[in-house]
Amino acid sequence: MMMVWFPPASANNAPNEADAQFSAVAKATLNSGTPVPTAADPIVGVKDDTLGAFPAGLASTPFPMMPSLPQVALGTQIGSLPKQRGWRKGGNLLEVLSHSFATNPTELTLPKAAEASITPITHFSEGFYKGTLPDVLFVWGSDFAVAQALIDEIRFYLQKLNTMGFLLNTSQLNNKGKTSVDIALPAIVLVGGGIWYHRFLAQLQQAIAEVGFSYTEGKQLQQAVLGKVCRGAIFGLTPSLFNHQTPLAQQAAVEALDKIQSVLPNSKTTTTVKAPLVRFKIAGGKHITQRQVLHSLGRNGTVISIENEGLSSAERLELQQVHEQLQHFVLPYAVAQAKKVKKRGKAVSLEQYQQSLSDALFEMGLNRRAFEAYEKGLVLSITQLQKQEVIVPETLPADVQQCLALELVPHLQVIQQYMTAVGLNDLQGAISLCLDYLTKP
């Protein structure tokens, strides 16, 4: 007699709705003798061309991280370990995620309205059974506790699917050119500041290492799942976009991504302010996964590009993002604050700090094989940054500054430790200056 085991649904082992639905599908599968769903079965799994977010508040961050608004959100109880059951939006950056983009709710209420239109999915299991899993899932991975909660959920979800037979022949294509993993798992795009893509992959690989009935099946499943994970970043944002003194100008500036799709919901507001070119780029993952992300975002009105240069394209993208965020949103304010404190002696100019920061991050990328030696002066250049920044507000909005601090501080600390360990120099102390500025109350 064949036994089917399902992991505990909660700390008290009480089955939830999704587990009950999975049990019904498992019984039907076993009774029919067909381990893999066929075209005649009810539609389950990923819904084509839909976008999702984890957590839901990612759709309306004070500092935009997604290129388009999602239709669904994963999340009020993600995390299958007993201590993580009931995990909710709260703590660290997630406290900021629920804030709207502008201080005046009468001027810019679009993010909140958008959140209300997002369909919630409590678990992967629920989305799979109802056929509402997003085609592309944007995941906030800057906080390791949040990322670990998602990894735990993926592991238990894959265990359920594998036990039921949905993941057999993970490398075999169906009549639509999809594998069982493509049907069951969205393309995951990790967003947020910092350099942690490979750490996330290592944790995910370790978590799903034992999923599979044999060594070969387990390795095939790991390769298939890890290939579904990409790294994404938004480029082109500047402090002038966050000047709450001119909300209409701010809204117009972030309204178009590549002049097509907004990082905020669509608006009919018109203004004479010329919007800068805001772009979304991805790196990492399998080629077919990258094409899936491009296609799905294209159907939702967003044009994106793929970063595929260097031997470590994902870290290359991460370093480019950290460089732009520090140069635009941190270093000018840190230098201005340092000049107020240091009234004697020769002060280091902003241009010197900018060049020092570019050199330090380039050397780190060179050491990590994200850049090549001949690219010095070509990537992480400050020339274009200086041209783009025309009007810089004296101070950033408090929620934007708090968001950036919570995003960048832990990762800048890791960058400092790494550079010290491998003997790289932070000339002029540019990274230290940025870190001091972000950590001061």
Side-chain angles (χ1 to χ4, degrees):
M1 179 178 178
M2 183 175 181
M3 301 295 291
V4 178
W5 176 84
F6 297 98
S10 60
N12 56 9
N13 293 332
N16 57 27
E17 179 184 356
D19 289 330
Q21 293 168 342
F22 258 75
S23 298
V25 174
K27 290 178 181 178
T29 301
L30 294 175
N31 292 336
S32 65
T34 304
V36 181
T38 67
D41 292 328
I43 297 175
V44 295
V46 171
K47 185 176 181 181
D48 290 341
D49 303 329
T50 58
L51 306 179
F54 171 74
L58 190 62
S60 58
T61 53
F63 188 85
M65 300 181 202
M66 294 176 55
S68 183
L69 286 170
Q71 291 87 42
V72 297
L74 262 148
T76 56
Q77 294 182 358
I78 291 296
S80 298
L81 295 179
K83 291 182 180 179
Q84 293 170 334
R85 272 294 181 190
W87 179 90
R88 297 181 183 277
K89 244 183 352 180
N92 293 338
L93 180 60
L94 297 180
E95 295 175 349
V96 186
L97 293 181
S98 60
H99 294 174
S100 61
F101 202 90
T103 54
N104 190 342
T106 62
E107 292 286 351
L108 200 59
T109 58
L110 294 174
K112 282 298 180 182
E115 275 196 48
S117 65
I118 297 175
T119 303
I121 300 175
T122 304
H123 300 284
F124 274 95
S125 305
E126 175 189 350
F128 175 83
Y129 179 79
K130 294 181 179 179
T132 56
L133 277 177
D135 197 22
V136 177
L137 177 65
F138 293 96
V139 174
W140 180 60
S142 295
D143 186 285
F144 296 133
V146 176
Q148 188 62 52
L150 183 73
I151 289 173
D152 291 335
E153 177 69 14
I154 292 175
R155 174 164 62 96
F156 278 89
Y157 171 60
L158 292 175
Q159 284 178 335
K160 290 180 182 180
L161 292 175
N162 199 49
T163 303
M164 290 164 45
F166 279 98
L167 295 183
L168 297 179
N169 302 319
T170 56
S171 60
Q172 183 176 346
L173 299 177
N174 65 6
N175 58 351
K176 293 185 179 181
K178 294 183 177 180
T179 67
S180 55
V181 173
D182 293 324
I183 296 173
L185 199 65
I188 297 175
V189 180
L190 303 172
V191 294
I195 306 172
W196 41 261
Y197 172 76
H198 290 297
R199 179 173 180 177
F200 180 91
L201 288 186
Q203 291 175 333
L204 178 59
Q205 182 178 18
Q206 183 179 4
I208 64 175
E210 297 179 359
V211 179
F213 293 115
S214 70
Y215 177 82
T216 301
E217 287 178 352
K219 289 298 181 182
Q220 288 179 345
L221 182 61
Q222 288 180 55
Q223 184 177 9
V225 173
L226 295 180
K228 298 287 291 183
V229 184
C230 299
R231 185 70 163 97
I234 290 181
F235 293 90
L237 299 174
T238 62
S240 58
L241 308 181
F242 301 86
N243 185 357
H244 287 171
Q245 302 301 318
T246 56
L248 295 182
Q250 168 194 322
Q251 180 175 324
V254 238
E255 195 172 38
L257 188 70
D258 271 339
K259 300 181 180 178
I260 294 180
Q261 175 65 41
S262 173
V263 294
L264 293 177
N266 293 329
S267 171
K268 303 300 182 182
T269 305
T270 58
T271 178
T272 58
V273 176
K274 183 179 179 181
L277 188 61
V278 181
R279 297 180 176 180
F280 188 73
K281 300 176 70 174
I282 62 170
K286 296 187 300 185
H287 176 65
I288 191 173
T289 303
Q290 293 178 344
R291 290 186 60 187
Q292 177 184 348
V293 176
L294 262 67
H295 180 272
S296 186
L297 286 179
R299 292 294 296 268
N300 283 272
T302 301
V303 175
I304 71 175
S305 59
I306 299 175
E307 176 60 76
N308 54 12
E309 295 291 335
L311 296 176
S312 182
S313 57
E315 284 198 14
R316 181 187 181 94
L317 182 66
E318 289 175 326
L319 284 168
Q320 289 173 337
Q321 180 180 223
V322 168
H323 176 257
E324 182 170 294
Q325 290 176 350
L326 292 179
Q327 294 281 20
H328 274 317
F329 294 93
V330 181
L331 191 58
Y333 300 98
V335 172
Q337 186 181 75
K339 286 182 178 179
K340 291 179 181 179
V341 176
K342 187 179 180 181
K343 296 182 179 180
R344 293 184 179 181
K346 184 178 180 181
V348 180
S349 67
L350 173 60
E351 290 74 18
Q352 289 176 296
Y353 275 120
Q354 287 179 320
Q355 189 61 57
S356 171
L357 179 61
S358 294
D359 292 342
L361 291 180
F362 180 82
E363 289 299 324
M364 179 177 175
L366 191 63
N367 193 70
R368 297 289 300 173
R369 308 186 75 179
F371 304 125
E372 299 291 344
Y374 73 87
E375 294 181 303
K376 188 172 180 64
L378 300 176
V379 295
L380 306 188
S381 172
I382 64 173
T383 305
Q384 295 300 321
L385 295 174
Q386 292 171 333
K387 289 181 179 179
Q388 289 177 6
E389 195 66 18
V390 180
I391 302 174
V392 181
E394 292 186 2
T395 59
L396 286 173
D399 55 350
V400 175
Q401 187 170 356
Q402 181 187 5
C403 181
L404 281 168
L406 292 168
E407 274 280 281
L408 294 174
V409 165
H411 306 295
L412 287 181
Q413 291 172 339
V414 172
I415 289 175
Q416 268 195 330
Q417 294 170 1
Y418 176 84
M419 293 181 68
T420 301
V422 298
L424 298 177
N425 294 322
D426 179 12
L427 300 177
Q428 306 290 355
I431 295 178
S432 298
L433 186 66
C434 291
L435 191 56
D436 291 341
Y437 172 77
L438 290 171
T439 53
K440 287 183 179 179

